[in-house]
């Protein structure tokens, strides 16, 4: 069947909920529903409401409409009279391929946006000038995923707030005498402090949620296929030995190395073939696009000994094909692109490809929020010194409270930080290893 | 109509492929013409792919259809070897006095409302003024059912019917299932037609 659900693919670090739950689904009645990272659903378009399904090329997306980052091609749903219903960056639903490694055409193929247009009875069209203007016209509405957007905004707020808070603190210290005791100053201090603390807490909560990531809720009809790396390769890394595939008609899920990758299964028009070659295992869709490639020795005991995997695939309705030669190129007559991403994936597993790095805005990095929170507290203390008269008995009590809360924030933040590091190491299967260490 | 009395102009993103050259000669020409800015493994794969095209295109000759020229369309500004499509010019025989509408049936004989291959949307047939005379551009999206669901592809042709002749000149690309790419290719192929002139 034609693809009916768009998946984000792998999401690292704090964004794991997005990979597991965020979906855009074309229903049989012609409506479109979006499931967010909390599993809540909302109707994007009612039956018959979608008039056009378009692609805005990367060169014309414009930075204003994104989160100020260049994000490549954009997939957009329009109602009548050029009414924009939803705009999504294609890379964010490209099942993990990044523009640095793969051509836009390949990412587009992997995303399934052309198929979802067919499922809606339409066709994916290039956007007209009016439609491009509609997509470019509104600020920050092209989504990378609900949680990715939120985390990026949060990080941006920290970056803006931190120097502002530092400046406010430095200015108040530099003043010869305590500032005037005006309600205006008190209110400013309160707002600055409260927002800094709120940001710190939000980020810490997100980090804790990540560290407490619950196991994948395997559907009852899914078959679990554990990695056999421990048997086939005694020197295999710990994470390679603990990898698991869940295969069901709805989803094919890879849980490996602290990262989840969800792919649409055959009932959603995703994976239809499992191709076992001499060196690789490919989950392939109906257009012969390889959605996931894995090293074959991690999942089968040998090229001719793949009973567990084949049984799981066949039960889910995925055809198993073994081949002694698949070559480097996707199997298409006159196929005109090269799948550049597959080889690094095969060499290093999903690890190098999706590991949360410092630059990944989904990584649980809470150093910035700690500083924002602490400086917020310092401003509060400094402000209280200025606002309250010198002989006010409430002053010392207030300062004690500020000092106590500040101390708790510091201790709490560092505790969370250590906890996250340990949780990350556990998730990455490194045992005694340290975060950031090359395996 | 033949290669002798038509001149195909140079257009930036279209890299001409000589149908008389073998794969090794084409590969040599490509490595001389382009520098590998992408990873060299990818560049070599692209060279091999493009060099194999002339032979694949010549295999499509049949029933009086004669290949005249081929091109590959390059992505970006055309300065790198980044092939995104392939096109060819061929001569196609037709009954005398054939109208553009009738010639479409010659070009797409398998498309029928009830058949396995049916039109997905109404055909788009537009006249086009070129130095070689009036041409027509056809864009037709047709659907077919596969065991794994519906597939929609776009066929793009630009053709010239010459009065008193029974052979037409046709520019053609393979059916494309990537419709935004098809729109790009249709524009580029139109540009190529607008640079085609009589000798």
């Amino acid at each position: 069947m034609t693809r009916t659900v768009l998946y984000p693919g792998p999401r690292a670090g704090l964004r794991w909920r997005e990979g597991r739950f965020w979906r855009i689904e074309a229903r049989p009645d012609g409506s479109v529903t979006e499931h967010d990272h909390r599993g809540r659903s909302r109707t994007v378009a009612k039956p018959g409401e979608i008039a056009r399904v378009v692609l805005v090329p990367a060169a014309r997306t414009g930075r204003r409409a994104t989160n100020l980052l260049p994000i490549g091609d954009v997939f957009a749903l329009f109602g009548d009279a050029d009414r924009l219903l939803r705009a999504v960056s294609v890379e964010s639903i490209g099942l993990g391929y990044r523009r640095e490694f793969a051509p836009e055409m390949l990412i587009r193929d992997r995303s399934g946006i052309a198929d979802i247009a067919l499922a809606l009875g339409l066709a994916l069209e290039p956007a007209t000038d009016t439609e491009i203007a509609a997509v470019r016209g509104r600020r920050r509405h092209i989504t990378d995923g609900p949680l990715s957007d939120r985390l990026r905004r949060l990080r941006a707020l920290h970056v803006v707030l931190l120097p502002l808070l530092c400046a406010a603190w430095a200015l108040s210290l530099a003043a010869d005498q305590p500032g005037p005791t005006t309600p205006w100053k008190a209110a400013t201090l309160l707002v600055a402090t409260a927002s800094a603390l709120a940001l710190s807490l939000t980020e810490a909560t997100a980090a804790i949620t990540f560290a407490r990531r619950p196991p994948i809720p395997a559907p009852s009809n899914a078959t679990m296929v554990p990695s056999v790396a421990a048997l086939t390769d005694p020197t295999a890394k710990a994470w390679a030995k603990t990898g698991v595939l869940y295969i069901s008609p709805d989803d094919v899920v890879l849980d490996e190395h602290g990262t989840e990758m969800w792919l649409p299964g055959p009932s959603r028009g995703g994976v239809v073939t499992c191709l076992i070659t001499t060196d690789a295992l490919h989950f392939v869709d109906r257009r012969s696009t390889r959605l996931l490639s894995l090293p074959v020795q991690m999942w089968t005991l040998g090229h001719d000994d793949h009973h567990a995997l084949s049984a799981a695939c066949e039960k889910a309705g995925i055809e198993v094909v073994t081949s002694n030669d698949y070559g480097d190129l996707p199997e298409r007559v006159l196929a005109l692109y090269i799948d550049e991403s597959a080889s690094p994936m095969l060499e290093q597993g999903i690890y190098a490809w999706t590991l949360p790095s410092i630059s990944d805005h989904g990584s649980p990095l809470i150093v910035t929020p700690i500083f924002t929170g602490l400086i917020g507290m310092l401003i509060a203390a400094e402000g209280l010194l200025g606002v309250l008269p010198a002989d006010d008995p409430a002053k010392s009590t207030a300062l004690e409270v500020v000092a106590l809360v500040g101390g708790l924030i510091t201790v709490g933040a560092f505790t969370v930080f250590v906890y996250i590091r340990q949780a990350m190491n556990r998730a990455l299967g490194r045992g005694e290893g340290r975060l950031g260490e090359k395996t | 109509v033949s290669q002798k009395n038509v001149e195909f102009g140079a257009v930036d993103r279209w890299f001409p492929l000589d149908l008389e050259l073998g794969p090794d000669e084409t590969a040599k020409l490509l490595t001389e013409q382009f520098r590998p800015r992408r990873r060299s493994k990818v560049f070599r794969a692209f060279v091999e792919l493009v060099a194999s095209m002339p032979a694949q295109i010549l295999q499509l000759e049949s029933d009086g259809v004669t290949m005249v020229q081929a091109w590959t369309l390059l992505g970006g500004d055309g300065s790198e070897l980044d092939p995104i499509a392939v096109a060819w010019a061929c001569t196609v025989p037709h009954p005398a006095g054939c109208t553009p509408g009738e010639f479409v049936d010659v070009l797409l004989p398998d498309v029928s409302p009830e058949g396995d291959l049916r039109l997905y949307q109404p055909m788009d047939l537009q006249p086009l003024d070129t130095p070689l005379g009036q041409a027509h551009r056809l864009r037709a999206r047709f659907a077919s059912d596969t065991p794994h669901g519906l597939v929609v592809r776009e066929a793009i042709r630009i053709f010239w019917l010459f009065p008193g002749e029974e052979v037409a000149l046709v520019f053609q690309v393979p059916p494309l299932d990537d419709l935004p790419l098809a729109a790009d290719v249709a524009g580029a192929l139109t540009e190529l037609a607008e640079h085609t002139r009589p000798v």
Side-chain angles (χ1 to χ4, degrees):
Chain A
M1 70 183 292
T2 311
R3 190 68 179 272
T4 51
V5 188
L6 302 178
Y7 279 56
R11 285 289 189 271
L14 301 183
R15 297 186 298 162
W16 67 269
R17 277 186 161 274
E18 197 169 272
R20 198 181 281 189
F21 298 114
W22 182 44
R23 306 281 181 267
I24 295 171
E25 182 183 4
R27 293 179 169 265
D29 62 2
S31 65
V32 172
T33 307
E34 182 169 347
H35 309 274
D36 75 2
H37 59 286
R38 294 179 199 279
R40 294 177 304 203
S41 303
R42 77 180 179 95
T43 305
V44 172
K46 292 193 275 293
E49 195 179 356
I50 293 176
R52 298 246 306 160
V53 181
V54 305
L55 184 85
V56 181
R60 304 193 64 185
T61 40
R63 290 194 163 199
R64 192 165 162 268
T66 70
N67 283 287
L68 298 175
L69 290 169
I71 56 168
D73 289 348
V74 170
F75 164 71
L77 298 170
F78 278 91
D80 289 337
D82 296 325
R83 191 163 44 88
L84 180 60
L85 298 169
R86 194 72 173 120
V88 184
S89 104
V90 177
E91 191 180 29
S92 75
I93 46 174
L95 302 179
Y97 274 23
R98 295 184 184 155
R99 281 177 300 131
E100 301 97 283
F101 304 120
E104 300 274 8
M105 271 163 66
L106 177 55
I107 299 178
R108 199 188 301 161
D109 267 4
R110 292 172 61 80
S111 71
I113 54 176
D115 270 9
I116 211 165
L118 296 181
L120 291 166
L122 300 163
L124 181 68
E125 309 277 359
T128 61
D129 288 343
T130 326
E131 285 162 343
I132 291 172
V135 168
R136 288 172 65 107
R138 277 166 35 197
R139 288 179 72 86
R140 290 203 297 266
H141 65 96
I142 300 174
T143 187
D144 254 346
L147 193 54
S148 297
D149 293 346
R150 197 165 148 248
L151 282 168
R152 186 176 289 148
R153 278 198 296 272
L154 206 62
R155 291 278 149 94
L157 255 179
H158 276 299
V159 169
V160 171
L161 203 59
L162 202 57
L164 272 181
L165 286 173
C166 288
W169 185 38
L171 281 175
S172 67
L173 280 182
D176 289 342
Q177 57 196 44
T181 55
T182 58
W184 177 83
K185 185 174 179 186
T188 312
L189 284 170
L190 195 66
V191 168
T193 314
S195 55
L197 291 181
L199 280 178
S200 293
L201 285 176
T202 313
E203 193 103 350
T205 317
I208 292 169
T209 316
F210 163 70
R212 296 167 64 89
R213 182 172 75 105
I216 289 177
S220 54
N221 57 354
T223 313
M224 192 180 95
V225 182
S227 165
V228 293
L231 297 173
T232 54
D233 178 8
T235 64
K237 310 281 185 230
W239 59 263
K241 293 176 188 165
T242 52
V244 176
L245 276 167
Y246 296 93
I247 300 173
S248 77
D250 290 344
D251 306 289
V252 173
V253 191
L254 171 71
D255 185 3
E256 175 191 282
H257 209 257
T259 300
E260 294 170 22
M261 174 150 177
W262 292 67
L263 298 173
S267 74
R268 292 170 175 178
V271 174
V272 296
T273 308
C274 173
L275 185 63
I276 303 172
T277 70
T278 45
D279 60 346
L281 183 66
H282 302 284
F283 288 100
V284 181
D285 77 0
R286 70 191 193 104
R287 294 170 185 255
S288 303
T289 306
R290 286 176 287 175
L291 300 183
L292 176 65
S293 301
L294 299 167
V296 75
Q297 75 275 12
M298 271 181 64
W299 302 98
T300 68
L301 293 167
H303 182 245
D304 300 318
D305 189 357
H306 43 75
H307 176 74
L309 180 71
S310 319
C313 286
E314 277 156 13
K315 190 179 161 209
I318 297 170
E319 188 191 4
V320 178
V321 177
T322 49
S323 154
N324 288 316
D325 177 30
Y326 191 49
D328 279 342
L329 291 173
E331 201 176 46
R332 271 196 183 185
V333 184
L334 293 182
L336 290 169
Y337 55 73
I338 302 294
D339 184 348
E340 285 180 68
S341 315
S343 20
M345 256 168 78
L346 284 179
E347 283 159 18
Q348 301 169 33
I350 202 169
Y351 170 71
W353 183 48
T354 50
L355 179 75
S357 64
I358 295 223
S359 59
D360 183 336
H361 62 272
S363 63
L365 185 77
I366 54 169
V367 173
T368 333
I370 291 173
F371 281 115
T372 321
L374 282 180
I375 292 172
M377 291 311 296
L378 284 170
I379 291 182
E382 183 64 22
L384 282 171
L385 283 173
V387 171
L388 297 172
D391 53 352
D392 193 327
K395 188 167 182 167
S396 61
T397 319
L399 282 176
E400 275 164 20
V401 170
V402 168
L404 187 69
V405 174
L408 283 176
I409 284 184
T410 319
V411 174
F414 279 107
T415 313
V416 170
F417 186 60
V418 171
Y419 177 54
I420 296 291
R421 282 178 62 126
Q422 286 176 343
M424 286 286 284
N425 285 334
R426 268 200 309 278
L428 302 180
R430 288 191 196 150
E432 301 301 307
R434 281 187 290 275
L435 190 62
E437 200 176 70
K438 293 273 180 213
T439 50
Chain B
V1 188
S2 75
Q3 197 166 12
K4 291 188 185 70
N5 49 24
V6 175
E7 185 192 332
F8 303 105
V11 179
D12 280 350
R13 291 168 63 203
W14 288 106
F15 183 79
L17 298 171
D18 191 333
L19 291 170
E20 284 167 9
L21 292 186
D24 294 343
E25 291 158 298
T26 309
K28 187 164 171 283
L29 192 73
L30 289 165
T31 39
E32 283 167 5
Q33 198 86 21
F34 296 97
R35 290 273 145 261
R37 272 180 59 194
R38 285 159 165 271
R39 290 207 306 255
S40 59
K41 184 182 161 197
V42 175
F43 181 77
R44 280 199 305 276
F46 276 155
V47 167
E48 207 176 296
L49 182 72
V50 175
S52 72
M53 284 173 184
Q56 291 186 59
I57 290 165
L58 285 173
Q59 278 180 2
L60 300 171
E61 287 193 337
S62 66
D63 295 341
V65 173
T66 310
M67 294 298 162
V68 180
Q69 175 69 41
W71 298 267
T72 181
L73 181 65
L74 304 175
D77 61 359
S79 61
E80 282 182 55
L81 186 64
D82 176 18
I84 57 170
V86 61
W88 56 87
C90 57
T91 54
V92 178
H94 59 79
C98 189
T99 63
E102 288 162 356
F103 188 62
V104 169
D105 295 334
V106 174
L107 288 175
L108 303 174
D110 301 330
V111 179
S112 67
E114 298 85 22
D116 293 338
L117 206 57
R118 58 192 185 274
L119 279 179
Y120 188 67
Q121 285 160 340
M123 249 182 230
D124 175 30
L125 185 64
Q126 302 284 343
L128 200 66
D129 287 324
T130 75
L132 191 61
Q134 195 187 54
H136 282 82
R137 187 181 75 180
L138 169 73
R139 291 182 67 182
R141 287 178 178 171
F142 47 88
S144 53
D145 293 307
T146 72
H148 294 303
L150 185 75
V151 172
V152 173
R153 293 199 174 88
E154 182 167 327
I156 305 168
R157 306 277 192 281
I158 293 177
F159 59 86
W160 288 262
L161 297 172
F162 304 101
E165 288 196 34
E166 294 183 8
V167 172
L169 176 67
V170 180
F171 282 5
Q172 180 171 348
V173 294
L176 297 165
D177 62 0
D178 185 327
L179 303 178
L181 173 69
D184 185 19
V185 172
L189 200 65
T190 306
E191 200 184 344
L192 195 61
E194 285 164 353
H195 284 76
T196 302
R197 59 190 74 248
V199 174

